[in-house]
Amino acid sequence: MDRTHKNLLLAGMCGNLLCWVGDVLLSVFPGHETVSGLTLSPAWAAAPLWRFSLSAVLGGIAMMAVLCGFYAVYQMLKPDVPKAAGLFMLGGLLGCIPGAVMHMQCTATAWIYGRLGGTEEAGIVAMDFFTAHMPLLVLCTAGLLLACAVLFVCVARGKTCLPRRAAVFNILIIMTVLSLLKPLVVIPGAMNLGGAGMFLGLRCCLRPPISKGAET
């Protein structure tokens, strides 16, 4: 794997971390519980609207970098398992493109709720807006599930340039580990932290290329 692909994996990691910052802007407010799931938060009504706007912008930029990471993994899989690589890239595209719009959908829901004062009527309007665009969430989730399943199976079966142990560097596995901490602490943006861990872990597990001198 050449330096370009390693840099793309690094870009994917940075993109996930940037999107995680957007998640924090949307989820963490001093004096309030961490916002999680699809629930409306009273903290949104008192929060400055720039937080939601900035979160949306960061998420949109971040997904472009995350897509670079998925492309790098696709290139890693392609020589050995081309069909599986295509499925992985399809999942990555569904996770990143609808995912970028979905992130803006979530931030727009918070913006609408906060802009309308956090009233009961504001909650109805905000949730109506969110549910009207629910297919984006379905597409994004389905894409990530597909990509993660393909990657895990290929790496665990030793069909790639990666060692089998690299199968643990998978968004779903890292998210599961983080979820075990929930009784102690709620970690926002677990999906993005999972993505960052996946790209970093895969980059660290790459076998160095064999030099021409060693081949002879």
Side-chain angles (χ1 to χ4, degrees), residues 153-200:
V153 171
C154 290
V155 176
R157 293 180 62 192
K159 299 293 185 179
T160 72
C161 62
L162 294 160
R164 292 176 186 266
R165 66 178 184 276
V168 300
F169 296 113
N170 190 290
I171 294 174
L172 292 183
I173 294 177
I174 297 173
M175 285 182 64
T176 300
V177 173
L178 292 177
S179 70
L180 298 177
L181 302 175
K182 188 170 289 186
L184 300 175
V185 60
V186 177
I187 301 177
M191 182 178 293
N192 283 306
L193 291 178
M198 180 181 76
F199 292 129
L200 177 61

Side-chain angles (χ1 to χ4, degrees), residues 6-213:
K6 288 186 176 182
N7 289 339
L8 288 175
L9 288 172
L10 189 61
M13 182 197 74
C14 292
N16 274 125
L17 292 177
L18 186 63
C19 200
W20 178 77
V21 173
D23 289 337
V24 170
L25 288 170
L26 188 62
S27 305
V28 179
F29 300 88
H32 295 271
E33 293 185 2
T34 300
V35 182
S36 60
L38 304 179
T39 57
L40 296 174
S41 172
W44 288 348
L49 296 179
W50 65 261
R51 287 182 61 128
F52 310 133
S53 299
L54 179 58
S55 177
V57 172
L58 292 179
I61 295 172
M63 284 298 105
M64 291 187 285
V66 172
L67 190 56
C68 292
F70 275 99
Y71 179 73
V73 179
Y74 162 75
Q75 290 292 337
M76 292 162 56
L77 299 177
K78 187 178 177 181
D80 302 306
V81 283
K83 292 182 179 179
L87 287 175
F88 174 85
M89 195 63 214
L90 174 62
L93 288 168
L94 289 174
C96 291
I97 298 176
V101 185
M102 186 203 73
H103 185 83
M104 296 191 71
Q105 170 197 355
C106 294
T107 56
T109 300
W111 191 95
I112 291 170
Y113 185 66
R115 182 65 178 83
L116 296 179
T119 63
E120 182 177 351
E121 182 180 2
I124 294 173
V125 173
M127 289 308 298
D128 282 348
F129 171 82
F130 186 87
T131 54
H133 300 86
M134 188 66 75
L136 291 170
L137 177 61
V138 176
L139 283 173
C140 176
T141 303
L144 289 176
L145 287 174
L146 174 61
C148 289
V150 169
L151 179 63
F152 179 82
V153 171
C154 290
V155 176
R157 293 180 62 192
K159 299 293 185 179
T160 72
C161 62
L162 294 160
R164 292 176 186 266
R165 66 178 184 276
V168 300
F169 296 113
N170 190 290
I171 294 174
L172 292 183
I173 294 177
I174 297 173
M175 285 182 64
T176 300
V177 173
L178 292 177
S179 70
L180 298 177
L181 302 175
K182 188 170 289 186
L184 300 175
V185 60
V186 177
I187 301 177
M191 182 178 293
N192 283 306
L193 291 178
M198 180 181 76
F199 292 129
L200 177 61
L202 294 179
R203 189 179 188 276
C204 291
C205 286
L206 285 174
R207 298 187 180 102
I210 300 175
S211 64
K212 292 183 179 180

